[in-house]
Amino acid sequence: MLKVGITGGIGSGKTTVARLFQLLGVPVYSADEAARRLMNTDPEIIQQVKLLLGEEAYLPNGNLNRAYVAQRVFQDQQLLEQLNAITHPPTIRDAEMWMQQQKAPYVIKEAALMFESSSFHLLDKIVVVYAPVHLRIHRIVQRDHVSVEEVKNRMRRQISPEVAIKLADEVIYNDEQKAVIPQVLQLHEQFLELAAHPH
Ligand code: ATP
């Protein structure tokens, strides 16, 4: 089975693009969603997060205290890296297991951090969703009701779009200039063809 990764900077529209593939019947795994689920349910992750950030990292109902954790790690790059080191390996394993269970010519894994976490080695093709910075900032300010400064802060922690495009096999332009759906349809055909006739 062909494994396709979709990634892109914050606000590029990777979740939106992944949904379009899902509408075409392609199974889609969201790494961010999975990480959120595993942080609430995986006993080993819970134990390690508490060791790293203290008991306050979890709410009395057992769910991750997202506000507290965000406030701690977004001011401290090293802490963020330590948290990622706890959550990434089990999420990558969970994705691999999920992919093996799917019955489809190809599957998609959508993740904000892909090149950064080396999970891209396990994927056959990587699609980068691209949008210019001003549009990404506008979208996230609208969606998350955060400041421009906060969006810029989050962007700084991701690799630059130029590097991502160089590392990508395919690029989808979600820049409000080029229509997205035809690009998705074209890649869908291409991946089906590749899955049927692997080189
Ligand atoms: P994040 O990294 O924060 O998860 P993302 O790359 O997954 O972001 P989306 O959540 O898909 O991005 O899109 C960000 C916001 O921009 C959403 O509210 C989405 O509806 C909107 N959006 C995405 N693409 C477009 C577009 N072409 N036109 C208008 N709005 C768009």
Side-chain angles (χ1 to χ4, degrees):
M1 179 195 290
L2 190 72
K3 297 174 183 172
V4 175
I6 293 188
T7 189
I10 174 171
S12 59
K14 57 194 166 298
T15 307
T16 307
V17 167
R19 273 199 208 115
L20 293 173
F21 281 97
Q22 203 164 27
L23 286 176
L24 295 169
V26 183
V28 172
Y29 180 92
S30 159
D32 298 345
E33 220 175 89
R36 276 201 291 275
R37 171 174 50 80
L38 291 171
M39 283 173 106
N40 284 339
T41 56
D42 185 310
E44 217 161 290
I45 296 183
I46 294 173
Q47 193 194 7
Q48 289 184 54
V49 171
K50 282 184 179 171
L51 272 177
L52 182 70
L53 300 170
E55 292 285 328
E56 310 95 294
Y58 282 84
L59 296 166
N61 70 7
N63 282 344
L64 187 74
N65 186 343
R66 299 187 61 78
Y68 173 80
V69 171
Q71 175 243 321
R72 288 284 307 275
V73 301
F74 287 152
Q75 301 168 1
D76 185 336
Q77 181 68 20
Q78 202 188 348
L79 215 48
L80 177 64
E81 280 167 22
Q82 285 172 308
L83 183 65
N84 284 342
I86 293 172
T87 58
H88 281 171
T91 309
I92 292 171
R93 278 198 297 277
D94 188 70
E96 287 296 304
M97 254 163 42
W98 178 89
M99 287 194 255
Q100 276 162 22
Q101 288 161 2
Q102 303 309 308
K103 300 211 170 8
Y106 77 97
V107 293
I108 285 178
K109 177 179 174 185
E110 182 224 336
L113 300 180
M114 194 161 279
F115 302 119
E116 294 91 333
S117 81
S118 80
S119 64
F120 75 102
H121 291 305
L122 299 164
L123 298 160
D124 301 302
K125 293 283 170 198
I126 304 283
V127 178
V128 164
V129 179
Y130 172 84
V133 169
H134 71 274
L135 271 184
R136 292 165 56 201
I137 292 176
H138 177 73
R139 288 172 186 164
I140 298 304
V141 167
Q142 293 278 314
R143 190 193 64 185
D144 295 352
H145 311 289
V146 290
S147 68
V148 171
E149 215 26 66
E150 172 56 29
V151 183
K152 285 185 177 166
N153 257 334
R154 293 191 206 170
M155 281 179 171
R156 275 187 216 112
R157 288 191 289 268
Q158 302 183 324
I159 64 166
S160 78
E162 293 74 23
V163 174
I165 286 175
K166 279 210 186 98
L167 293 169
D169 297 294
E170 307 290 345
V171 180
I172 289 182
Y173 292 89
N174 183 21
D175 55 3
E176 296 181 16
Q177 303 289 318
K178 227 173 149 188
V180 174
I181 290 174
Q183 298 179 72
V184 169
L185 287 174
Q186 199 230 320
L187 279 182
H188 180 59
E189 292 304 321
Q190 205 173 304
F191 293 144
L192 286 177
E193 176 70 17
L194 196 59
H197 308 284
H199 308 302

